Amino acid sequence: MNEITFEINSNQEVWELFDKNLNSIFIHRFSPNQVIEWWKTDLKTKSGTEFKNLSVRQMEFDIQTDLSELKNILELNTDQLRIYQFDKPISDSLKIERLPEKSLNQILKQNGLRHYFFIDFEIITIGSFETDFIKSIETNPTFESRIAERKRNL
């Protein structure tokens, strides 16, 4: 796994980093609200049961979506995101938190993982099984100087 870490100014500028040829996006433990507060929402289960006007907080869930919805999610400017880009949708049985740490990358690769993007406030870490993908980010005019600066400071 090749990896690179550097500073970002917003989630909107991260959009240009994604491989637009891979449309299977998985966001692990997404939290739509960063502040611990109550908000009103409706909830519909897979079985069709509907709950109306619930008060919820600290809601956290996995999302499987596509690039167009990812763009909308990035516009929320969420402080922390764990975004995985796969070459196919992931199976129902794949649960990242249950995978052994020592074989995590290999299992994810076998399930179609190509790249991941971990956003932590103003820092992004990008991992990829493709060296050329990381090299293309290192030479991206928007990020090139930030990457070079971070390497100098390590």
Side-chain angles (χ1 to χ4, degrees):
M1 175 68 68
N2 303 291
E3 198 172 83
I4 188 168
T5 301
F6 56 95
E7 288 76 20
I8 55 171
N9 295 324
S10 71
N11 288 355
Q12 283 78 21
E13 75 174 12
V14 173
W15 173 248
E16 66 185 87
L17 297 170
F18 287 90
D19 185 337
K20 303 307 186 289
N21 296 311
L22 300 173
N23 202 32
S24 291
I25 303 297
F26 174 72
I27 303 174
H28 185 55
R29 295 184 141 174
F30 177 70
S31 178
N33 284 4
Q34 294 301 307
V35 178
I36 300 174
E37 64 185 358
W38 294 97
W39 79 93
K40 295 286 187 187
T41 191
D42 297 338
L43 178 67
K44 184 176 181 180
T45 65
K46 184 177 180 179
S47 66
T49 304
E50 289 188 51
F51 301 97
K52 297 284 187 183
N53 204 30
L54 296 175
S55 292
V56 298
R57 71 175 176 189
Q58 293 181 307
M59 185 183 287
E60 181 180 273
F61 46 88
D62 293 341
I63 295 176
Q64 195 159 206
T65 190
D66 59 19
L67 286 168
S68 64
E69 284 304 314
L70 173 61
K71 192 169 189 176
N72 293 332
I73 291 167
L74 288 173
E75 289 174 5
L76 294 173
N77 267 335
T78 304
D79 292 333
Q80 295 180 300
L81 289 170
R82 298 290 177 263
I83 304 168
Y84 297 82
Q85 198 167 24
F86 286 81
D87 60 15
K88 61 185 176 187
I90 65 168
S91 70
D92 291 346
S93 62
L94 182 66
K95 293 194 63 137
I96 291 177
E97 60 272 10
R98 293 188 179 163
L99 298 176
E101 186 67 35
K102 64 181 179 179
S103 54
L104 175 71
N105 286 340
Q106 188 58 35
I107 293 170
L108 291 175
K109 184 178 182 179
Q110 289 170 350
N111 281 275
L113 178 66
R114 300 280 291 281
H115 320 295
Y116 63 76
F117 305 81
F118 294 171
I119 300 169
D120 288 305
F121 300 91
E122 71 279 354
I123 303 294
I124 187 167
T125 299
I126 302 169
S128 178
F129 292 105
E130 302 169 17
T131 305
D132 289 343
F133 182 76
I134 295 295
K135 286 180 183 177
S136 72
I137 294 169
E138 290 176 324
T139 59
N140 181 310
T142 304
F143 306 105
E144 189 174 26
S145 63
R146 294 183 219 169
I147 294 168
E149 179 69 25
R150 184 157 185 98
K151 285 181 178 179
R152 279 194 296 273
N153 291 331
L154 289 181

Coordinates of all heavy atoms in Angstrom, one line a residue, residues 39-106:
W39 N -31.3 16.1 17.1 CA -32.0 16.7 16.0 C -33.1 15.7 15.6 O -33.2 14.6 15.9 CB -31.1 17.0 14.8 CG -30.6 15.9 14.0 CD1 -31.2 15.4 12.8 CD2 -29.5 15.0 14.2 NE1 -30.5 14.4 12.3 CE2 -29.5 14.1 13.1 CE3 -28.6 14.8 15.2 CZ2 -28.5 13.1 13.0 CZ3 -27.6 13.9 15.1 CH2 -27.6 13.0 14.0
K40 N -34.1 16.3 14.9 CA -35.3 15.5 14.4 C -35.1 14.9 13.1 O -34.5 15.5 12.2 CB -36.5 16.5 14.3 CG -37.0 17.1 15.6 CD -37.6 16.0 16.5 CE -38.2 16.7 17.7 NZ -38.7 15.7 18.7
T41 N -35.5 13.6 12.9 CA -35.4 12.9 11.7 C -36.4 11.8 11.6 O -37.0 11.4 12.6 CB -34.0 12.4 11.5 OG1 -33.8 11.9 10.1 CG2 -33.7 11.2 12.4
D42 N -36.7 11.3 10.4 CA -37.5 10.2 10.2 C -36.5 9.0 9.8 O -35.4 9.2 9.3 CB -38.4 10.4 9.0 CG -39.5 11.5 9.3 OD1 -39.7 11.8 10.5 OD2 -40.0 12.0 8.3
L43 N -36.9 7.8 10.1 CA -36.1 6.6 9.8 C -37.0 5.5 9.3 O -38.1 5.2 9.8 CB -35.5 6.1 11.1 CG -34.6 4.9 11.1 CD1 -33.3 5.2 10.2 CD2 -34.2 4.4 12.4
K44 N -36.5 4.9 8.2 CA -37.3 3.8 7.5 C -36.3 2.6 7.5 O -35.2 2.7 7.0 CB -37.7 4.2 6.1 CG -38.5 3.1 5.5 CD -39.0 3.6 4.1 CE -39.9 2.5 3.4 NZ -40.3 3.0 2.1
T45 N -36.8 1.5 8.0 CA -36.0 0.3 8.1 C -36.1 -0.5 6.8 O -37.0 -0.3 6.0 CB -36.3 -0.6 9.3 OG1 -37.7 -1.1 9.0 CG2 -36.3 0.1 10.6
K46 N -35.2 -1.5 6.6 CA -35.3 -2.3 5.4 C -36.6 -3.1 5.3 O -37.1 -3.3 4.2 CB -34.1 -3.3 5.4 CG -34.0 -4.1 4.2 CD -32.8 -5.0 4.2 CE -32.7 -5.9 2.9 NZ -31.6 -6.7 2.9
S47 N -37.2 -3.4 6.4 CA -38.4 -4.2 6.4 C -39.6 -3.3 6.1 O -40.8 -3.8 6.0 CB -38.6 -4.8 7.8 OG -38.8 -3.9 8.8
G48 N -39.4 -2.0 6.1 CA -40.5 -1.0 5.7 C -41.1 -0.3 6.9 O -41.9 0.5 6.8
T49 N -40.6 -0.7 8.1 CA -41.1 0.0 9.3 C -40.6 1.5 9.3 O -39.4 1.7 9.0 CB -40.6 -0.7 10.6 OG1 -41.0 -2.0 10.6 CG2 -41.1 0.0 11.8
E50 N -41.5 2.4 9.6 CA -41.1 3.8 9.5 C -41.3 4.4 10.9 O -42.3 4.2 11.6 CB -42.0 4.6 8.5 CG -41.7 4.3 7.1 CD -42.4 5.2 6.1 OE1 -42.4 6.4 6.3 OE2 -43.1 4.7 5.2
F51 N -40.3 5.2 11.3 CA -40.4 6.0 12.5 C -40.4 7.4 12.2 O -39.5 7.9 11.4 CB -39.2 5.7 13.4 CG -39.1 4.2 13.8 CD1 -38.2 3.3 13.1 CD2 -39.8 3.7 14.9 CE1 -38.1 2.0 13.4 CE2 -39.7 2.3 15.2 CZ -38.9 1.5 14.5
K52 N -41.3 8.2 12.7 CA -41.5 9.6 12.3 C -41.0 10.5 13.4 O -41.3 10.2 14.6 CB -42.9 9.9 11.9 CG -43.4 9.1 10.7 CD -42.9 9.7 9.5 CE -43.5 9.1 8.3 NZ -43.0 9.6 7.1
N53 N -40.4 11.6 13.1 CA -40.1 12.6 14.0 C -39.3 12.2 15.2 O -39.6 12.5 16.4 CB -41.4 13.4 14.4 CG -41.1 14.8 14.9 OD1 -40.1 15.4 14.4 ND2 -41.9 15.3 15.8
L54 N -38.3 11.3 15.0 CA -37.5 10.9 16.1 C -36.5 12.0 16.5 O -36.0 12.8 15.7 CB -36.6 9.6 15.6 CG -37.3 8.4 15.3 CD1 -36.3 7.4 14.8 CD2 -38.1 7.8 16.5
S55 N -36.1 12.0 17.8 CA -35.0 12.8 18.2 C -33.8 11.8 18.3 O -33.8 10.8 19.0 CB -35.3 13.4 19.6 OG -36.3 14.3 19.5
V56 N -32.7 12.2 17.6 CA -31.5 11.3 17.6 C -30.3 12.2 17.9 O -30.3 13.4 17.7 CB -31.4 10.6 16.2 CG1 -32.5 9.7 16.0 CG2 -31.2 11.6 15.1
R57 N -29.2 11.5 18.3 CA -27.9 12.1 18.4 C -26.9 11.1 18.3 O -27.1 9.9 18.4 CB -27.8 12.9 19.7 CG -27.6 12.1 20.9 CD -27.3 13.0 22.1 NE -27.3 12.1 23.3 CZ -27.3 12.6 24.5 NH1 -27.2 13.9 24.7 NH2 -27.2 11.8 25.5
Q58 N -25.7 11.5 18.0 CA -24.5 10.6 17.8 C -24.9 9.4 16.8 O -24.4 8.3 17.0 CB -24.1 10.0 19.1 CG -23.5 11.1 20.0 CD -23.0 10.6 21.3 OE1 -23.7 9.9 22.0 NE2 -21.7 10.9 21.6
M59 N -25.6 9.7 15.8 CA -25.9 8.7 14.8 C -24.7 8.5 13.9 O -24.0 9.4 13.5 CB -27.1 9.2 13.9 CG -27.5 8.1 12.9 SD -28.8 8.7 11.8 CE -30.2 8.7 12.9
E60 N -24.4 7.2 13.7 CA -23.2 6.9 13.0 C -23.5 5.6 12.2 O -24.1 4.7 12.7 CB -22.0 6.6 14.0 CG -20.7 6.2 13.3 CD -19.7 5.9 14.4 OE1 -19.0 6.9 14.8 OE2 -19.5 4.8 14.8
F61 N -23.1 5.6 10.9 CA -23.5 4.5 10.0 C -22.5 4.4 8.9 O -21.8 5.3 8.6 CB -24.9 4.6 9.5 CG -25.3 5.9 9.0 CD1 -25.1 6.3 7.7 CD2 -25.9 6.9 9.9 CE1 -25.5 7.6 7.3 CE2 -26.3 8.1 9.5 CZ -26.0 8.5 8.1
D62 N -22.5 3.2 8.2 CA -21.7 3.1 7.0 C -22.6 3.5 5.8 O -23.8 3.2 5.8 CB -21.3 1.6 6.8 CG -20.3 1.2 7.9 OD1 -19.7 2.0 8.5 OD2 -20.1 -0.1 8.1
I63 N -22.0 4.0 4.8 CA -22.7 4.4 3.6 C -22.0 3.8 2.4 O -20.8 3.8 2.3 CB -22.6 6.0 3.4 CG1 -23.3 6.7 4.5 CG2 -23.1 6.3 2.0 CD1 -23.2 8.2 4.3
Q64 N -22.8 3.2 1.5 CA -22.3 2.7 0.2 C -23.0 3.5 -0.8 O -24.2 3.6 -0.9 CB -22.6 1.2 0.1 CG -21.8 0.6 -1.0 CD -21.7 -0.9 -0.9 OE1 -20.8 -1.5 -1.4 NE2 -22.6 -1.6 -0.2
T65 N -22.3 4.3 -1.7 CA -22.8 5.2 -2.6 C -22.0 5.3 -3.8 O -21.1 4.5 -4.1 CB -23.0 6.6 -1.9 OG1 -23.8 7.4 -2.7 CG2 -21.7 7.3 -1.5
D66 N -22.2 6.4 -4.6 CA -21.5 6.6 -5.8 C -20.8 7.9 -5.8 O -20.9 8.7 -4.8 CB -22.4 6.4 -7.1 CG -23.6 7.4 -7.1 OD1 -23.5 8.4 -6.3 OD2 -24.5 7.2 -7.8
L67 N -20.1 8.3 -6.9 CA -19.3 9.5 -6.9 C -20.2 10.8 -6.8 O -19.9 11.7 -6.1 CB -18.5 9.6 -8.2 CG -17.3 8.7 -8.2 CD1 -16.7 8.7 -9.6 CD2 -16.2 9.2 -7.2
S68 N -21.4 10.7 -7.4 CA -22.3 11.9 -7.4 C -22.7 12.2 -6.0 O -22.7 13.4 -5.5 CB -23.4 11.8 -8.3 OG -24.3 10.7 -7.9
E69 N -23.1 11.2 -5.2 CA -23.5 11.4 -3.8 C -22.3 11.8 -2.9 O -22.4 12.5 -2.0 CB -24.2 10.2 -3.3 CG -25.7 10.2 -3.8 CD -26.5 11.4 -3.5 OE1 -26.4 12.0 -2.3 OE2 -27.2 11.9 -4.4
L70 N -21.1 11.2 -3.3 CA -19.9 11.6 -2.5 C -19.6 13.1 -2.6 O -19.3 13.7 -1.6 CB -18.7 10.8 -3.0 CG -17.3 11.2 -2.4 CD1 -17.3 11.0 -0.9 CD2 -16.2 10.5 -3.1
K71 N -19.8 13.6 -3.8 CA -19.6 15.1 -3.9 C -20.6 15.8 -3.0 O -20.1 16.8 -2.3 CB -19.9 15.5 -5.4 CG -19.4 16.9 -5.7 CD -19.4 17.1 -7.2 CE -18.8 18.5 -7.4 NZ -18.7 18.7 -8.8
N72 N -21.8 15.4 -2.8 CA -22.7 16.1 -1.9 C -22.3 15.9 -0.5 O -22.4 16.8 0.3 CB -24.1 15.5 -2.1 CG -24.8 15.8 -3.4 OD1 -24.4 16.9 -4.0 ND2 -25.6 15.0 -3.9
I73 N -21.8 14.7 -0.1 CA -21.3 14.5 1.2 C -20.1 15.4 1.6 O -20.0 15.9 2.6 CB -21.0 13.0 1.4 CG1 -22.3 12.2 1.4 CG2 -20.2 12.7 2.7 CD1 -22.1 10.7 1.3
L74 N -19.2 15.5 0.6 CA -18.0 16.4 0.8 C -18.4 17.8 1.1 O -17.7 18.5 1.8 CB -17.1 16.3 -0.4 CG -16.3 15.0 -0.5 CD1 -15.5 14.9 -1.8 CD2 -15.4 14.7 0.7
E75 N -19.5 18.2 0.5 CA -20.0 19.6 0.6 C -20.4 19.9 2.1 O -20.6 21.1 2.5 CB -21.1 20.0 -0.4 CG -20.5 20.1 -1.8 CD -21.6 20.2 -2.8 OE1 -22.8 20.4 -2.5 OE2 -21.3 20.3 -4.0
L76 N -20.7 18.9 2.9 CA -21.0 19.0 4.3 C -19.8 19.5 5.1 O -20.0 20.0 6.2 CB -21.5 17.7 4.9 CG -22.8 17.2 4.3 CD1 -23.1 15.8 4.9 CD2 -24.0 18.1 4.6
N77 N -18.6 19.4 4.5 CA -17.4 19.8 5.2 C -17.3 19.1 6.6 O -16.9 19.7 7.6 CB -17.3 21.3 5.4 CG -16.5 21.9 4.3 OD1 -15.7 21.2 3.6 ND2 -16.7 23.2 4.0
T78 N -17.6 17.8 6.6 CA -17.4 17.0 7.8 C -16.0 17.0 8.2 O -15.1 16.8 7.3 CB -18.0 15.6 7.5 OG1 -19.3 15.7 7.1 CG2 -17.9 14.7 8.8
D79 N -15.7 17.1 9.5 CA -14.3 17.2 9.9 C -13.5 15.8 9.8 O -12.3 15.8 9.6 CB -14.2 17.6 11.4 CG -14.6 19.0 11.5 OD1 -14.5 19.8 10.6 OD2 -15.1 19.4 12.6
Q80 N -14.2 14.7 9.9 CA -13.5 13.4 9.8 C -14.3 12.5 8.9 O -15.5 12.3 9.1 CB -13.4 12.8 11.2 CG -12.5 13.7 12.1 CD -12.3 13.1 13.4 OE1 -13.3 12.9 14.2 NE2 -11.1 12.8 13.8
L81 N -13.7 12.0 7.9 CA -14.3 11.0 7.0 C -13.3 9.9 6.7 O -12.1 10.1 6.6 CB -14.7 11.7 5.7 CG -15.8 12.7 5.7 CD1 -15.9 13.4 4.4 CD2 -17.1 11.9 6.0
R82 N -13.8 8.7 6.6 CA -13.1 7.5 6.2 C -13.7 7.0 4.9 O -14.7 6.3 4.9 CB -13.1 6.4 7.2 CG -12.5 6.8 8.6 CD -11.0 6.9 8.4 NE -10.3 7.4 9.6 CZ -10.0 8.6 9.9 NH1 -10.3 9.6 9.0 NH2 -9.3 8.9 11.0
I83 N -13.1 7.4 3.8 CA -13.7 7.1 2.5 C -12.9 6.1 1.7 O -11.7 6.2 1.6 CB -13.8 8.4 1.6 CG1 -14.6 9.5 2.3 CG2 -14.4 8.1 0.2 CD1 -14.5 10.8 1.7
Y84 N -13.5 5.0 1.3 CA -12.9 3.9 0.5 C -13.4 3.9 -0.9 O -14.6 4.0 -1.1 CB -13.1 2.6 1.2 CG -12.5 2.5 2.6 CD1 -13.2 3.0 3.7 CD2 -11.3 1.9 2.8 CE1 -12.7 2.9 5.0 CE2 -10.8 1.8 4.1 CZ -11.5 2.3 5.2 OH -11.0 2.2 6.4
Q85 N -12.5 3.8 -1.9 CA -13.0 3.7 -3.3 C -12.7 2.3 -3.8 O -11.5 1.9 -3.9 CB -12.3 4.8 -4.1 CG -12.9 5.1 -5.4 CD -12.4 6.3 -6.1 OE1 -11.3 6.8 -5.8 NE2 -13.2 6.9 -6.9
F86 N -13.7 1.6 -4.1 CA -13.7 0.2 -4.6 C -14.0 0.2 -6.1 O -14.6 1.1 -6.7 CB -14.7 -0.6 -3.8 CG -14.3 -1.0 -2.4 CD1 -14.6 0.0 -1.4 CD2 -13.8 -2.2 -2.1 CE1 -14.3 -0.3 -0.1 CE2 -13.4 -2.5 -0.8 CZ -13.7 -1.6 0.2
D87 N -13.6 -1.0 -6.7 CA -13.9 -1.2 -8.1 C -15.3 -1.9 -8.3 O -15.7 -2.2 -9.4 CB -12.8 -1.9 -8.9 CG -12.5 -3.3 -8.3 OD1 -13.2 -3.8 -7.5 OD2 -11.4 -3.8 -8.7
K88 N -15.9 -2.2 -7.1 CA -17.2 -2.9 -7.1 C -17.9 -2.6 -5.8 O -17.2 -2.3 -4.8 CB -17.1 -4.4 -7.4 CG -16.3 -5.1 -6.3 CD -16.1 -6.5 -6.7 CE -15.1 -7.2 -5.6 NZ -14.8 -8.5 -6.0
P89 N -19.2 -2.8 -5.7 CA -19.8 -2.6 -4.3 C -19.3 -3.7 -3.4 O -19.0 -4.8 -3.8 CB -21.3 -2.8 -4.6 CG -21.5 -2.5 -6.1 CD -20.2 -3.0 -6.7
I90 N -19.2 -3.3 -2.1 CA -18.7 -4.3 -1.1 C -19.9 -5.2 -0.7 O -21.1 -4.8 -0.7 CB -18.1 -3.6 0.1 CG1 -19.1 -2.8 0.9 CG2 -16.9 -2.8 -0.3 CD1 -18.5 -2.4 2.2
S91 N -19.5 -6.4 -0.2 CA -20.5 -7.4 0.2 C -21.1 -7.0 1.6 O -20.5 -6.2 2.4 CB -19.9 -8.8 0.3 OG -19.0 -8.8 1.4
D92 N -22.3 -7.5 1.8 CA -23.0 -7.3 3.1 C -22.1 -7.8 4.3 O -22.2 -7.2 5.4 CB -24.3 -8.0 3.1 CG -25.3 -7.4 2.2 OD1 -25.1 -6.2 1.7 OD2 -26.4 -8.0 1.9
S93 N -21.4 -8.8 4.1 CA -20.6 -9.4 5.2 C -19.3 -8.7 5.6 O -18.7 -9.0 6.6 CB -20.4 -10.9 4.9 OG -19.5 -11.0 3.7
L94 N -18.8 -7.8 4.7 CA -17.6 -7.1 5.0 C -17.8 -6.0 6.0 O -18.5 -5.1 5.8 CB -17.0 -6.6 3.7 CG -15.6 -5.9 3.9 CD1 -14.6 -6.9 4.2 CD2 -15.2 -5.2 2.6
K95 N -17.1 -6.2 7.2 CA -17.2 -5.2 8.2 C -15.8 -4.9 8.6 O -15.1 -5.7 9.2 CB -18.0 -5.7 9.5 CG -19.5 -5.9 9.1 CD -20.3 -6.1 10.4 CE -20.2 -4.9 11.2 NZ -21.4 -4.4 11.8
I96 N -15.3 -3.7 8.3 CA -13.9 -3.3 8.5 C -13.5 -3.5 9.9 O -12.4 -3.9 10.2 CB -13.7 -1.8 8.0 CG1 -13.9 -1.8 6.4 CG2 -12.4 -1.3 8.4 CD1 -13.7 -0.5 5.8
E97 N -14.3 -3.1 10.9 CA -13.9 -3.1 12.3 C -13.6 -4.6 12.8 O -13.0 -4.8 13.8 CB -14.8 -2.4 13.2 CG -16.2 -2.9 13.2 CD -17.1 -2.3 12.1 OE1 -16.6 -1.6 11.2 OE2 -18.3 -2.5 12.2
R98 N -14.1 -5.5 12.1 CA -13.9 -6.9 12.5 C -12.7 -7.6 11.8 O -12.4 -8.8 12.1 CB -15.2 -7.7 12.2 CG -16.4 -7.3 13.1 CD -17.5 -8.3 12.9 NE -18.6 -7.8 13.8 CZ -19.8 -8.3 13.6 NH1 -20.1 -9.1 12.7 NH2 -20.8 -7.8 14.4
L99 N -12.1 -6.9 10.9 CA -11.0 -7.5 10.1 C -9.7 -7.4 11.0 O -9.5 -6.4 11.7 CB -10.7 -6.8 8.8 CG -11.9 -6.8 7.8 CD1 -11.6 -6.0 6.6 CD2 -12.2 -8.3 7.4
P100 N -8.9 -8.5 11.0 CA -7.6 -8.4 11.7 C -6.7 -7.4 11.1 O -6.5 -7.3 9.9 CB -7.0 -9.8 11.5 CG -7.8 -10.5 10.5 CD -9.1 -9.7 10.3
E101 N -6.1 -6.6 12.0 CA -5.2 -5.5 11.5 C -4.1 -5.9 10.6 O -3.8 -5.2 9.6 CB -4.6 -4.8 12.8 CG -3.8 -3.5 12.4 CD -4.7 -2.4 11.9 OE1 -5.9 -2.3 12.3 OE2 -4.2 -1.6 11.0
K102 N -3.5 -7.1 10.9 CA -2.3 -7.5 10.1 C -2.7 -7.9 8.7 O -1.8 -7.8 7.8 CB -1.5 -8.6 10.8 CG -2.3 -9.9 11.0 CD -1.5 -10.9 11.7 CE -2.3 -12.2 11.9 NZ -1.5 -13.2 12.5
S103 N -3.9 -8.3 8.4 CA -4.3 -8.6 7.1 C -5.4 -7.7 6.5 O -6.0 -8.0 5.5 CB -4.8 -10.1 7.0 OG -5.8 -10.3 8.0
L104 N -5.7 -6.6 7.1 CA -6.7 -5.7 6.7 C -6.6 -5.2 5.3 O -7.5 -5.4 4.5 CB -6.7 -4.4 7.6 CG -7.7 -3.3 7.3 CD1 -9.1 -3.7 7.5 CD2 -7.3 -2.0 8.0
N105 N -5.4 -4.7 4.9 CA -5.2 -4.2 3.5 C -5.4 -5.3 2.5 O -6.0 -5.1 1.4 CB -3.8 -3.6 3.3 CG -3.8 -2.2 4.0 OD1 -4.8 -1.6 4.2 ND2 -2.6 -1.8 4.3
Q106 N -4.9 -6.5 2.8 CA -5.0 -7.6 1.8 C -6.5 -8.1 1.6 O -6.9 -8.3 0.5 CB -4.2 -8.8 2.3 CG -4.1 -9.9 1.2 CD -3.5 -9.5 -0.1 OE1 -2.6 -8.6 -0.2 NE2 -4.0 -10.0 -1.2

